[in-house]
Structures are given as C-alpha cells and as structure tokens.
Amino acid sequence: MNRRELWLPRPLFSLFLAMLWLLMVNSFSVAHMLLGLALGVFIPFITRPFWPEQAKVRYLLPLVRYFMILVVDIVRSNLVVARRILWHPDQLTPGFVTFPLELDDDFAITILASTISLTPGTVTTHYDSDAGTLLIHALHVTDEDELVRQIKEQYERPLKEIFQ
C-alpha cells in the first residue's frame, strides 16, 4: 500500500462525498467546501477496513454514458410516475418481477440494484446470490418480459461492458 492509498484510499469516492455535502447544504462557501473535503477524506479513511477490493472499471467512457442515461431515465420516470399517479391511479398494476442476472461482479450487481431503485416506479427488494436473481417491485407492470428486456439492454449490458 503506497502513501496515497494509505491517506486517500478512495479518491473518487472522496470527491463524490465532498460534492454531495455541498449539494446537501446548498451552500458553496469556503467553510462548507473545506468541511466537505474533510468529510470526503475522513469517511473513506475510517471505513477502509469494511470495503472489499476496489472495483475495476475497464472503460471510463461507457461509465459516463451510463450515468447520463441514468439521469435522463430518472427525469423521464419521474414524469411518467407522476402522470400515472395523478391522472390514472386506478389503472396501476403493481407487481413483482424476478430479474435473472448475467452480471457476476458484486459491485456491478450493487450498481444495477441501486440504479433500479433510483429510477422512480421500480425498487429492488431482494438479491438471491444462489439463484443469481434480483426481485424487483414495479409500480406498473403490464409485460414482465418487456421490463426484464428493458433493464437488461439499458442497464445490465452497459455495466457488463464497464466492469467485466
């Protein structure tokens, strides 16, 4: 372990925490920037023993593209869910869908489960490591196979390209 890894074990996570702090306090003062940086360094440092090995990102460009697609999908899903709840709540057909995983990297599976839960209208409720499946609850399910296909194409395949 070199000096940088000793004092700054997760530099991107540290930067993320600092930015998250600034967004949460909604202030870009020097004091909040310094506190955000301090938290960004301190939290990964003290939680280092709990972290598994670092995730290996093979390609950075697909990761940026994945993030942009996720942001667009979150906005789009917010609008769709709001419209369904406000104008057609009696037509909602909630349900559970079993999603078969092709991913085998734990970090990539965690990103996929988090992505599903971040997108309004869906939430990951269970991960079965033995069966290699995620149990997903969706607010409106008309075709289970279509939902599985959509998640595979939009999220799982790019994550395979990024992490495996």
Side-chain angles (χ1 to χ4, degrees):
M1 182 180 296
N2 64 33
R3 280 181 100 163
R4 189 211 46 91
E5 290 174 344
L6 178 66
W7 292 105
L8 195 62
R10 308 264 180 197
L12 289 176
F13 185 58
S14 295
L15 182 63
F16 169 76
L17 288 174
M19 296 302 296
L20 182 64
W21 174 258
L22 291 174
L23 291 172
M24 284 176 36
V25 296
N26 199 21
S27 171
F28 293 98
S29 69
V30 174
H32 280 296
M33 287 182 198
L34 291 174
L35 182 57
L37 286 173
L39 289 171
V41 171
F42 183 68
I43 291 172
F45 179 75
I46 64 169
T47 61
R48 182 181 31 217
F50 304 109
W51 288 76
E53 74 282 347
Q54 290 244 19
K56 304 291 188 245
V57 176
R58 287 182 30 204
Y59 302 107
L60 191 58
L61 185 60
L63 181 63
V64 172
R65 188 172 42 234
Y66 182 84
F67 180 73
M68 291 171 48
I69 289 170
L70 177 60
V71 169
V72 169
D73 284 350
I74 289 172
V75 171
R76 183 181 307 137
S77 295
N78 269 303
L79 296 172
V80 169
V81 168
R83 186 180 67 228
R84 284 188 177 143
I85 289 174
L86 292 174
W87 284 283
H88 307 290
D90 54 328
Q91 295 177 2
L92 291 176
T93 54
F96 286 93
V97 175
T98 301
F99 182 82
L101 290 166
E102 293 176 18
L103 294 169
D104 56 9
D105 180 71
D106 288 339
F107 188 72
I109 292 169
T110 302
I111 296 291
L112 177 62
S114 299
T115 297
I116 292 167
S117 295
L118 280 171
T119 308
T122 55
V123 65
T124 304
T125 59
H126 181 70
Y127 167 54
D128 186 346
S129 59
D130 295 332
T133 60
L134 292 176
L135 184 62
I136 301 169
H137 181 269
L139 183 65
H140 185 68
V141 180
T142 54
D143 184 1
E144 290 183 21
D145 294 332
E146 177 60 23
L147 179 63
V148 168
R149 186 196 62 75
Q150 185 180 9
I151 292 172
K152 280 197 176 292
E153 285 180 14
Q154 222 159 344
Y155 303 125
E156 190 179 35
R157 284 200 183 102
L159 285 173
K160 277 182 78 171
E161 181 181 344
I162 294 166
F163 292 107
Q164 294 181 345

